[in-house]
Amino acid sequence: MHSRPLGRSGLTVSTLSLGTMNWGTQVDEDDARQLLDDYLDAGGTTIDTAYGYADGASETIIGSLTADLRREDLVLVGKAGISRRTGERVVDTSRRALLDQLDASLGRLGTDHLDLWLVHTWS
C-alpha cells in the first residue's frame, strides 16, 4: 500500500484508511480482528475512529486489538464533537466537550495520543 505525507505536518498516512464506524454494532470484535489483520498485512497504517462511533465500542475494540502492536507503526485518527448521550445525536464542539471526549477516547484506545484529531462536524 502506498503512503503519502499529510501536508507539511511530518505525518505520513497510508493512502487507504481503515474506517471503524460500524465496529461494535454491525462488526463484532472477531470480525474486526480479521479486518485489521488483513489491512495491516496489506501495508495499511491509518485507522479512523470517533468518540461517537457505537457509543465508544469502536474505540474499545481498537484499543483491545492494537494493545500488542507497536504504537509507532499506527496512525490513529480520532474525531470529537458528536455524541448520543441523550439517545439522539448531540453536537457539542465546545472546548470542554471536545477535551472531555478526547480524554475518553484516549482511555478507550489505550494510548496517550492521537496522530490526527478532528472536529467531527461544525456547529
Side-chain angles (χ1 to χ4, degrees):
M1 185 175 301
H2 297 277
S3 295
R4 299 267 192 278
L6 188 64
R8 291 182 235 157
S9 68
L11 183 63
T12 300
V13 296
S14 50
T15 53
L16 295 176
S17 177
L18 179 61
T20 63
M21 183 173 73
N22 293 322
W23 288 20
T25 55
Q26 298 171 16
V27 178
D28 65 22
E29 188 163 346
D30 291 333
D31 290 338
R33 179 179 309 281
Q34 186 62 54
L35 289 167
L36 179 62
D37 288 346
D38 290 347
Y39 176 73
L40 295 174
D41 288 346
T45 60
T46 307
I47 302 170
D48 172 82
T49 191
Y51 170 85
Y53 287 174
D55 291 328
S58 172
E59 293 174 334
T60 300
I61 290 171
I62 293 167
S64 172
L65 298 180
T66 61
D68 295 331
L69 300 177
R70 289 174 12 120
R71 177 62 180 87
E72 58 270 17
D73 293 339
L74 302 174
V75 176
L76 291 179
V77 178
K79 297 180 286 297
I82 299 175
S83 72
R84 300 207 181 273
R85 66 177 174 250
T86 64
E88 300 206 10
R89 184 176 187 265
V90 175
V91 173
D92 186 351
T93 58
S94 67
R95 181 180 188 277
R96 173 175 286 178
L98 293 175
L99 292 176
D100 286 348
Q101 290 181 16
L102 175 61
D103 287 341
S105 292
L106 293 174
R108 292 191 291 237
L109 290 164
T111 189
D112 64 348
H113 70 284
L114 293 172
D115 299 290
L116 181 61
W117 185 49
L118 306 168
V119 175
H120 207 162
T121 190
W122 56 271
S123 65

